[in-house]
Amino acid sequence: MKPPHQAALGRALLLTSPSLGPDVVRALERITGRPAGTARDAAPGVPVVHVGDTLPEALRTPELLWFHSVNAGTDSLLASGPWPGGALLTRTVGRMGERIAQYTLGWMLAEAQSVPEHSAQHARAQWNRLPSELVAGTTAVVHGAGRVGGAVAALLRACGVRTVGVARTARAEAPGFDAVVRAGSAEEREALSRARWVVSTLPLTGGTERFFDAPRFAAMRGATFVNAGRGATVDMLALETALHDGSVRRAVLDVLPDEPAGPAHPAWSLPRTVITSHSAGITADEDVITDFRVCWESVTEGRTPALAVDTERGY
């Protein structure tokens, strides 16, 4: 994706979604040096830079120079209609990698220290010794070797966990990982068979929908599965089967294919599963401001931002 032409950027309107708070909007105005409006302020022939969570259909036009998403995932944006040709798409990552890394480690340690069982015993006023487990020396397979997956791997490695990343292409080196293997390879299956923990940070694309299917779950041989990526990357019926037959020991699901999950949603009935309501990597206002500022600096210097999304691949 190429950055917008400087002349067009110089006269572009800054538009924001209603969901953005006033402090964020004021910060965007300071960064760009222009007042912010809303979609109703768009005019024919006038270029637009839009910041928000959704892109109004009326702005999916050649006038759109750049859309900066306040979210890390852009699958819903790209699925809701054809992306305007030539328009730059960037996203907000902020400190999401750190947050998801802490989330992952927190649930791993909770399981290793029998926290759910101790909590249940406390509620029953029972005193029984329960076993604990060291996470150091275990293996975690992290699907997704990008910014978020790398942050997860780095924190786990600091705790003595061996980390194997799974990516579209194998790599000799990747920050945070002891090794990276190719998705769908014999090396991935071997890694899954040895894993104590399997973590997903995958985005949702045409290639990752229902990525975690029956064969992958069967290959895990008793690993705990943590999904902090996208819900639709998991075949939920296959996960249910794996939980019942023991190939998946436990599941921690921050995301589901259909959200929000109502009281009758079948996911609530999955055995040995915790659902955390898409809260592992909540984006803070400061993340939006910081990442937009970095992208703005790149664009005004004629460079494609590091947070640019390949709209063909979806990430």
Side-chain angles (χ1 to χ4, degrees), residues 119-206:
S119 297
Q121 280 195 167
H122 178 90
R124 299 190 299 266
Q126 284 184 334
W127 179 289
N128 290 310
R129 277 190 166 182
L130 296 173
S132 63
E133 175 187 0
L134 290 174
V135 298
T138 62
T139 296
V141 175
V142 181
H143 287 77
R147 289 170 177 261
V148 175
V152 171
L155 184 58
L156 298 187
R157 279 183 80 184
C159 296
V161 178
R162 180 174 181 269
T163 58
V164 179
V166 180
R168 292 183 63 186
T169 56
R171 307 174 193 178
E173 294 183 4
F177 294 97
D178 292 296
V180 178
V181 300
R182 182 175 57 81
S185 66
E187 289 77 14
E188 182 199 2
R189 292 191 295 275
E190 174 68 15
L192 289 174
S193 73
R194 297 178 180 275
R196 174 63 180 84
W197 321 93
V198 176
V199 182
S200 176
T201 65
L202 291 178
L204 179 60
T205 68

XYZ file of all heavy atoms in Angstrom, residues 119-206:
633
model
N -10.102 -21.820 44.060
C -11.251 -20.922 44.204
C -12.521 -21.714 44.500
O -13.344 -21.313 45.344
C -11.435 -20.093 42.934
O -10.317 -19.257 42.715
N -12.691 -22.835 43.811
C -13.864 -23.671 44.049
C -13.833 -24.250 45.459
O -14.870 -24.312 46.145
C -13.912 -24.789 43.018
N -12.648 -24.673 45.920
C -12.532 -25.186 47.280
C -12.860 -24.112 48.309
O -13.515 -24.373 49.321
C -11.106 -25.703 47.538
C -10.849 -27.080 46.978
C -9.595 -27.719 47.553
O -9.392 -28.907 47.380
N -8.770 -26.962 48.257
N -12.382 -22.896 48.066
C -12.662 -21.799 48.989
C -14.171 -21.584 49.127
O -14.676 -21.378 50.240
C -11.993 -20.512 48.491
C -12.261 -19.324 49.361
N -11.454 -18.978 50.419
C -13.272 -18.410 49.336
C -11.945 -17.900 51.005
N -13.048 -17.536 50.361
N -14.877 -21.612 47.999
C -16.328 -21.413 48.036
C -17.031 -22.501 48.837
O -18.099 -22.262 49.425
C -16.877 -21.377 46.611
N -16.412 -23.688 48.928
C -16.998 -24.802 49.685
C -16.399 -24.922 51.088
O -16.730 -25.850 51.826
C -16.787 -26.122 48.932
C -17.430 -26.187 47.565
C -17.382 -27.616 47.013
N -16.010 -28.099 46.853
C -15.315 -28.017 45.722
N -15.867 -27.456 44.648
N -14.076 -28.485 45.645
N -15.497 -23.971 51.442
C -14.804 -24.009 52.732
C -14.101 -25.343 52.932
O -14.139 -25.948 54.006
C -15.781 -23.737 53.880
N -13.399 -25.784 51.894
C -12.669 -27.051 51.940
C -11.170 -26.801 51.988
O -10.669 -25.863 51.371
C -12.983 -27.904 50.704
C -14.333 -28.577 50.720
C -14.509 -29.478 49.513
O -13.893 -29.265 48.476
N -15.368 -30.475 49.638
N -10.468 -27.658 52.738
C -9.013 -27.581 52.829
C -8.440 -28.878 52.268
O -8.476 -29.913 52.926
C -8.586 -27.374 54.277
C -7.097 -27.313 54.470
C -6.206 -28.334 54.370
C -6.333 -26.159 54.806
N -4.930 -27.904 54.605
C -4.975 -26.559 54.897
C -6.664 -24.823 55.048
C -3.953 -25.669 55.215
C -5.645 -23.952 55.373
C -4.298 -24.364 55.444
N -7.927 -28.801 51.048
C -7.260 -29.932 50.423
C -6.045 -29.419 49.679
O -6.116 -28.391 49.004
C -8.175 -30.660 49.428
C -9.300 -31.412 50.118
O -9.056 -32.159 51.057
N -10.524 -31.185 49.663
N -4.940 -30.143 49.837
C -3.774 -29.773 49.052
C -4.022 -30.124 47.589
O -4.522 -31.198 47.270
C -2.540 -30.513 49.552
C -1.894 -29.855 50.750
C -0.559 -30.500 51.045
N 0.221 -29.691 51.959
C 1.440 -30.005 52.345
N 2.023 -31.109 51.893
N 2.097 -29.217 53.174
N -3.609 -29.185 46.715
C -3.769 -29.404 45.287
C -2.404 -29.320 44.611
O -1.534 -28.548 45.052
C -4.714 -28.358 44.674
C -6.153 -28.388 45.184
C -6.930 -27.199 44.641
C -6.838 -29.697 44.781
N -2.206 -30.061 43.551
C -0.890 -30.049 42.890
C -0.642 -28.750 42.135
O -1.572 -28.045 41.740
C -0.984 -31.233 41.921
C -2.449 -31.338 41.616
C -3.149 -30.977 42.901
N 0.626 -28.428 41.959
C 1.009 -27.293 41.125
C 1.977 -27.788 40.059
O 2.504 -28.900 40.132
C 1.653 -26.184 41.957
O 2.858 -26.634 42.541
N 2.209 -26.943 39.082
C 3.039 -27.311 37.929
C 3.922 -26.127 37.584
O 3.492 -24.963 37.695
C 2.119 -27.651 36.747
C 2.792 -27.942 35.432
C 1.787 -28.112 34.289
O 0.571 -27.997 34.536
O 2.240 -28.335 33.150
N 5.136 -26.371 37.157
C 6.001 -25.302 36.677
C 5.759 -25.066 35.193
O 5.700 -26.020 34.409
C 7.476 -25.660 36.895
C 7.977 -25.673 38.346
C 9.409 -26.195 38.386
C 7.899 -24.288 38.965
N 5.617 -23.796 34.807
C 5.511 -23.519 33.376
C 6.891 -23.555 32.725
O 7.011 -23.847 31.533
C 4.821 -22.164 33.090
C 3.406 -22.161 33.618
C 5.618 -21.001 33.667
N 7.918 -23.268 33.501
C 9.285 -23.332 32.967
C 9.585 -24.750 32.507
O 9.294 -25.720 33.197
C 10.290 -22.900 34.024
N 10.140 -24.849 31.318
C 10.463 -26.150 30.761
C 9.385 -26.730 29.879
O 9.616 -27.735 29.194
N 8.202 -26.108 29.887
C 7.143 -26.563 28.985
C 7.292 -25.883 27.624
O 8.101 -24.962 27.453
C 5.745 -26.267 29.563
O 5.594 -24.845 29.720
C 5.564 -26.953 30.905
N 6.495 -26.326 26.663
C 6.531 -25.768 25.308
C 5.203 -25.107 24.979
O 4.135 -25.690 25.212
C 6.820 -26.857 24.262
O 8.132 -27.380 24.487
C 6.746 -26.298 22.839
N 5.276 -23.895 24.455
C 4.095 -23.184 23.960
C 4.232 -23.004 22.457
O 5.260 -22.513 21.975
C 3.941 -21.831 24.637
N 3.211 -23.403 21.711
C 3.158 -23.170 20.277
C 2.243 -21.974 20.041
O 1.073 -21.998 20.429
C 2.635 -24.414 19.528
C 2.472 -24.112 18.044
C 3.592 -25.584 19.730
N 2.797 -20.925 19.468
C 2.063 -19.671 19.263
C 1.785 -19.509 17.777
O 2.721 -19.348 16.977
C 2.867 -18.468 19.798
C 2.071 -17.173 19.608
C 3.218 -18.674 21.274
N 0.524 -19.538 17.405
C 0.141 -19.335 16.009
C -0.002 -17.846 15.748
O -0.811 -17.162 16.377
C -1.167 -20.065 15.711
C -1.008 -21.545 15.623
N -0.871 -22.334 16.735
C -0.944 -22.375 14.540
C -0.745 -23.601 16.356
N -0.782 -23.652 15.038
N 0.816 -17.353 14.816
C 0.916 -15.937 14.530
C 2.242 -15.433 15.050
O 2.451 -15.373 16.264
N 3.154 -15.104 14.138
C 4.501 -14.701 14.543
C 4.743 -13.219 14.308
O 5.880 -12.778 14.154
C 5.541 -15.530 13.784
N 3.673 -12.429 14.286
C 3.797 -10.987 14.088
C 4.022 -10.255 15.399
O 4.583 -10.797 16.353
N 3.570 -8.990 15.464
C 3.811 -8.154 16.633
C 3.225 -8.750 17.903
O 3.878 -8.802 18.949
C 3.207 -6.759 16.409
C 3.939 -5.911 15.375
C 3.122 -4.674 15.057
N 3.810 -3.801 14.122
C 4.508 -2.725 14.454
N 4.597 -2.383 15.723
N 5.098 -1.985 13.541
N 1.970 -9.177 17.827
C 1.308 -9.692 19.025
C 1.875 -11.050 19.414
O 2.230 -11.286 20.570
C -0.214 -9.765 18.823
C -0.887 -10.420 20.017
C -0.795 -8.359 18.597
N 1.968 -11.958 18.442
C 2.521 -13.270 18.737
C 3.938 -13.197 19.262
O 4.318 -13.937 20.178
N 4.741 -12.289 18.709
C 6.107 -12.119 19.174
C 6.170 -11.620 20.607
O 7.044 -12.030 21.382
N 5.245 -10.728 20.968
C 5.211 -10.225 22.348
C 4.825 -11.338 23.316
O 5.382 -11.447 24.416
C 4.229 -9.062 22.455
N 3.863 -12.163 22.916
C 3.478 -13.307 23.750
C 4.668 -14.231 23.946
O 5.007 -14.632 25.071
C 2.303 -14.081 23.112
C 2.041 -15.385 23.857
C 1.039 -13.221 23.090
N 5.337 -14.565 22.849
C 6.468 -15.483 22.919
C 7.584 -14.924 23.794
O 8.203 -15.654 24.581
C 6.988 -15.780 21.516
N 7.863 -13.634 23.689
C 8.953 -13.028 24.457
C 8.691 -13.125 25.957
O 9.608 -13.427 26.741
C 9.142 -11.573 24.040
N 7.452 -12.858 26.374
C 7.139 -12.938 27.802
C 7.209 -14.382 28.298
O 7.716 -14.654 29.394
C 5.750 -12.351 28.071
C 5.333 -12.294 29.543
C 6.335 -11.483 30.372
C 3.932 -11.716 29.688
N 6.716 -15.317 27.489
C 6.766 -16.718 27.898
C 8.211 -17.211 27.991
O 8.566 -17.948 28.917
C 5.968 -17.588 26.922
C 4.471 -17.282 26.809
C 3.780 -18.336 25.946
C 3.816 -17.196 28.174
N 9.040 -16.803 27.038
C 10.451 -17.203 27.087
C 11.133 -16.683 28.341
O 11.996 -17.342 28.918
C 11.200 -16.683 25.858
C 11.024 -17.529 24.619
C 11.860 -16.997 23.478
N 13.247 -17.404 23.565
C 14.185 -16.991 22.719
N 13.880 -16.142 21.740
N 15.417 -17.411 22.824
N 10.739 -15.475 28.774
C 11.324 -14.907 29.989
C 10.980 -15.746 31.224
O 11.671 -15.657 32.237
C 10.846 -13.476 30.192
N 9.933 -16.557 31.108
C 9.529 -17.434 32.204
C 10.025 -18.860 31.995
O 9.587 -19.784 32.686
C 8.011 -17.443 32.341
S 7.321 -15.844 32.808
N 10.923 -19.052 31.044
C 11.510 -20.363 30.827
C 10.712 -21.285 29.944
O 10.988 -22.491 29.890
N 9.718 -20.743 29.251
C 8.894 -21.550 28.350
C 9.538 -21.584 26.966
O 9.932 -20.532 26.440
C 7.459 -20.984 28.251
C 6.612 -21.809 27.276
C 6.811 -20.947 29.629
N 9.646 -22.753 26.389
C 10.143 -22.862 25.010
C 9.025 -22.446 24.073
O 7.889 -22.905 24.217
C 10.588 -24.287 24.690
C 11.121 -24.447 23.265
C 11.683 -25.839 23.023
N 12.212 -25.957 21.676
C 11.504 -26.370 20.629
N 10.236 -26.739 20.789
N 12.058 -26.437 19.437
N 9.326 -21.572 23.121
C 8.290 -21.027 22.249
C 8.544 -21.405 20.798
O 9.642 -21.202 20.272
C 8.229 -19.489 22.371
O 9.510 -18.941 22.044
C 7.857 -19.076 23.785
N 7.517 -21.950 20.174
C 7.561 -22.290 18.760
C 6.473 -21.488 18.058
O 5.293 -21.581 18.411
C 7.326 -23.801 18.521
C 7.350 -24.112 17.027
C 8.373 -24.622 19.265
N 6.857 -20.667 17.101
C 5.895 -19.883 16.345
C 5.436 -20.633 15.111
O 6.170 -21.442 14.540
N 4.205 -20.379 14.702
C 3.658 -20.947 13.473
C 3.251 -19.787 12.570
O 2.478 -18.918 12.975
C 2.446 -21.864 13.744
C 1.904 -22.430 12.435
C 2.839 -23.001 14.691
N 3.800 -19.765 11.364
C 3.547 -18.673 10.423
C 3.319 -19.249 9.029
O 3.481 -20.450 8.802
C 4.718 -17.696 10.416
N 2.933 -18.378 8.107
C 2.718 -18.834 6.723
C 3.997 -19.371 6.123
O 3.968 -20.286 5.304
C 2.184 -17.682 5.868
C 0.778 -17.239 6.219
C 0.303 -16.140 5.282
N 0.229 -16.597 3.908
C -0.051 -15.805 2.876
N -0.270 -14.525 3.056
N -0.107 -16.289 1.654
N 5.123 -18.796 6.503
C 6.426 -19.251 6.003
C 7.360 -19.461 7.180
O 7.349 -18.686 8.144
C 7.050 -18.232 5.041
O 7.157 -16.956 5.705
C 6.183 -18.070 3.791
N 8.155 -20.523 7.123
C 9.136 -20.771 8.180
C 10.214 -19.694 8.131
O 10.522 -19.145 7.071
C 9.753 -22.153 8.001
N 10.786 -19.363 9.285
C 11.809 -18.319 9.357
C 12.978 -18.828 10.185
O 12.787 -19.556 11.165
C 11.235 -17.059 10.011
C 9.949 -16.573 9.357
C 9.339 -15.424 10.125
N 7.990 -15.151 9.693
C 7.200 -14.225 10.228
N 7.658 -13.480 11.212
N 5.971 -14.036 9.793
N 14.161 -18.412 9.785
C 15.340 -18.806 10.545
C 15.332 -18.161 11.924
O 15.695 -18.773 12.919
C 16.605 -18.428 9.786
N 14.870 -16.901 11.992
C 14.828 -16.180 13.253
C 13.577 -15.317 13.288
O 13.130 -14.783 12.264
C 16.055 -15.291 13.433
C 17.370 -16.040 13.586
C 18.531 -15.105 13.841
O 18.286 -13.888 13.977
O 19.672 -15.574 13.882
N 13.009 -15.176 14.485
C 11.898 -14.262 14.707
C 11.951 -13.827 16.160
O 12.162 -14.664 17.046
C 10.559 -14.932 14.397
N 11.802 -12.525 16.432
C 11.918 -12.041 17.805
C 10.971 -12.774 18.753
O 9.788 -12.919 18.466
C 11.550 -10.557 17.672
C 11.854 -10.213 16.255
C 11.544 -11.454 15.472
N 11.500 -13.252 19.876
C 10.691 -13.896 20.893
C 10.598 -15.399 20.787
O 10.252 -16.073 21.751
N 10.914 -15.962 19.617
C 10.692 -17.387 19.395
C 11.998 -18.172 19.405
O 13.029 -17.711 18.920
C 9.988 -17.607 18.051
C 8.586 -17.063 18.003
C 8.322 -15.823 17.450
C 7.537 -17.796 18.523
C 7.033 -15.313 17.399
C 6.240 -17.298 18.484
C 5.988 -16.058 17.933
N 11.895 -19.399 19.927
C 13.021 -20.324 19.806
C 13.078 -20.915 18.403
O 14.160 -21.260 17.919
C 12.878 -21.454 20.831
C 13.048 -20.950 22.257
O 14.159 -20.492 22.578
O 12.080 -21.003 23.031
N 11.922 -21.051 17.770
C 11.855 -21.585 16.404
C 10.539 -21.140 15.787
O 9.574 -20.850 16.499
C 11.939 -23.107 16.413
N 10.500 -21.070 14.467
C 9.272 -20.767 13.738
C 9.116 -21.807 12.639
O 10.057 -22.058 11.876
C 9.290 -19.350 13.124
C 8.016 -19.096 12.321
C 9.434 -18.295 14.219
N 7.930 -22.421 12.567
C 7.657 -23.437 11.560
C 6.508 -22.982 10.680
O 5.756 -22.070 11.024
C 7.326 -24.799 12.211
C 8.505 -25.290 13.056
C 6.060 -24.708 13.068
N 6.377 -23.637 9.546
C 5.350 -23.256 8.581
C 4.017 -23.912 8.916
O 3.956 -25.093 9.255
C 5.798 -23.650 7.169
C 4.823 -23.249 6.066
C 5.401 -23.578 4.699
N 5.739 -25.001 4.588
C 4.831 -25.949 4.310
N 3.554 -25.632 4.132
N 5.212 -27.205 4.216
N 2.948 -23.142 8.819
C 1.609 -23.676 9.051
C 1.309 -24.790 8.057
O 1.560 -24.656 6.861
C 0.569 -22.565 8.919
N 0.783 -25.898 8.550
C 0.429 -27.012 7.695
C 1.550 -27.998 7.451
O 1.343 -29.003 6.752
N 2.712 -27.744 8.022
C 3.863 -28.606 7.780
C 3.917 -29.745 8.800
O 3.244 -29.729 9.840
C 5.158 -27.800 7.866
O 5.354 -27.326 9.194
N 4.764 -30.712 8.507
C 5.001 -31.796 9.467
C 5.610 -31.245 10.747
O 5.358 -31.765 11.847
C 5.916 -32.843 8.844
N 6.398 -30.172 10.624
C 7.012 -29.562 11.801
C 5.952 -28.955 12.726
O 6.101 -29.009 13.951
C 8.010 -28.485 11.380
C 9.291 -29.019 10.742
C 9.092 -29.450 9.288
O 8.054 -29.106 8.680
O 10.003 -30.118 8.768
N 4.895 -28.381 12.130
C 3.820 -27.857 12.981
C 3.147 -28.994 13.743
O 2.900 -28.890 14.956
C 2.775 -27.097 12.160
C 1.678 -26.513 13.045
C 0.390 -26.154 12.304
O 0.303 -26.396 11.083
O -0.545 -25.663 12.971
N 2.836 -30.088 13.063
C 2.180 -31.214 13.734
C 3.050 -31.774 14.849
O 2.561 -32.119 15.924
C 1.842 -32.308 12.712
C 0.760 -31.898 11.716
C 0.271 -33.071 10.899
N 1.317 -33.613 10.035
C 1.600 -33.139 8.825
N 0.923 -32.097 8.351
N 2.550 -33.678 8.087
N 4.355 -31.849 14.598
C 5.272 -32.329 15.615
C 5.284 -31.381 16.816
O 5.277 -31.823 17.976
C 6.681 -32.456 15.029
C 7.772 -32.813 16.032
C 7.643 -34.212 16.598
O 6.881 -35.033 16.030
O 8.295 -34.487 17.627
N 5.308 -30.082 16.552
C 5.312 -29.101 17.641
C 4.027 -29.203 18.464
O 4.058 -29.143 19.699
C 5.485 -27.693 17.077
N 2.895 -29.356 17.790
C 1.617 -29.475 18.502
C 1.595 -30.711 19.389
O 1.040 -30.697 20.493
C 0.457 -29.509 17.509
C 0.142 -28.208 16.774
C -0.937 -28.431 15.718
C -0.295 -27.122 17.755
N 2.194 -31.781 18.916
C 2.181 -33.021 19.695
C 2.995 -32.898 20.977
O 2.774 -33.649 21.934
C 2.702 -34.181 18.843
O 4.108 -34.094 18.658
N 3.952 -31.967 21.017
C 4.804 -31.783 22.189
C 4.374 -30.596 23.049
O 4.964 -30.351 24.104
C 6.259 -31.582 21.739
C 6.857 -32.788 21.013
C 8.273 -32.498 20.545
N 8.849 -33.643 19.856
C 9.450 -34.668 20.456
N 9.553 -34.681 21.785
N 9.955 -35.664 19.760
N 3.377 -29.848 22.605
C 3.001 -28.602 23.274
C 2.215 -28.856 24.554
O 1.341 -29.723 24.603
C 2.178 -27.734 22.334
N 2.530 -28.092 25.567
C 1.685 -28.033 26.768
C 0.661 -26.936 26.629
O -0.408 -26.982 27.220
C 2.584 -27.791 27.997
C 1.822 -27.570 29.304
C 1.030 -28.792 29.696
N 0.310 -28.558 30.943
C -0.887 -27.958 31.024
N -1.488 -27.546 29.910
N -1.475 -27.777 32.189
N 1.011 -25.922 25.822
C 0.141 -24.764 25.613
C 0.101 -24.450 24.120
O 1.135 -24.461 23.448
C 0.656 -23.526 26.358
C 1.210 -23.827 27.709
C 2.520 -24.079 28.016
C 0.486 -23.935 28.941
N 2.656 -24.331 29.359
C 1.426 -24.252 29.960
C -0.856 -23.792 29.275
C 1.059 -24.422 31.291
C -1.217 -23.959 30.613
C -0.280 -24.273 31.590
N -1.071 -24.156 23.588
C -1.222 -23.710 22.202
C -1.971 -22.388 22.234
O -3.075 -22.302 22.793
C -1.976 -24.738 21.339
C -2.197 -24.190 19.925
C -1.217 -26.064 21.288
N -1.356 -21.360 21.692
C -1.894 -20.001 21.764
C -2.152 -19.490 20.352
O -1.288 -19.615 19.475
C -0.911 -19.057 22.488
C -1.497 -17.658 22.613
C -0.534 -19.623 23.856
N -3.316 -18.906 20.135
C -3.612 -18.311 18.833
C -3.704 -16.799 18.939
O -4.438 -16.265 19.772
C -4.929 -18.843 18.263
O -5.230 -18.164 17.046
N -2.941 -16.120 18.074
C -3.064 -14.667 17.906
C -3.409 -14.355 16.450
O -3.154 -13.253 15.974
C -1.753 -13.954 18.306
O -0.709 -14.333 17.394
C -1.343 -14.306 19.723
N -3.972 -15.344 15.752
C -4.199 -15.212 14.314
C -5.255 -14.162 13.977
O -6.287 -14.068 14.650
C -4.657 -16.552 13.727
C -3.639 -17.685 13.669
C -4.300 -18.939 13.109
C -2.438 -17.291 12.830
N -5.051 -13.401 12.904
C -6.121 -12.559 12.358
C -7.097 -13.436 11.581
O -6.809 -14.609 11.304
C -5.369 -11.611 11.421
C -4.231 -12.459 10.920
C -3.818 -13.324 12.095
N -8.240 -12.875 11.253
C -9.202 -13.612 10.438
C -9.036 -13.218 8.979
O -9.215 -12.063 8.604
C -10.637 -13.326 10.887
C -11.727 -14.036 10.092
C -11.570 -15.552 10.173
C -13.109 -13.610 10.568
N -8.656 -14.183 8.154
C -8.535 -13.983 6.709
C -9.160 -15.196 6.025
O -9.588 -16.147 6.680
C -7.058 -13.869 6.285
O -6.419 -15.146 6.468
C -6.315 -12.828 7.114
N -9.176 -15.168 4.701
C -9.681 -16.325 3.971
C -8.891 -17.580 4.264
O -9.420 -18.696 4.231
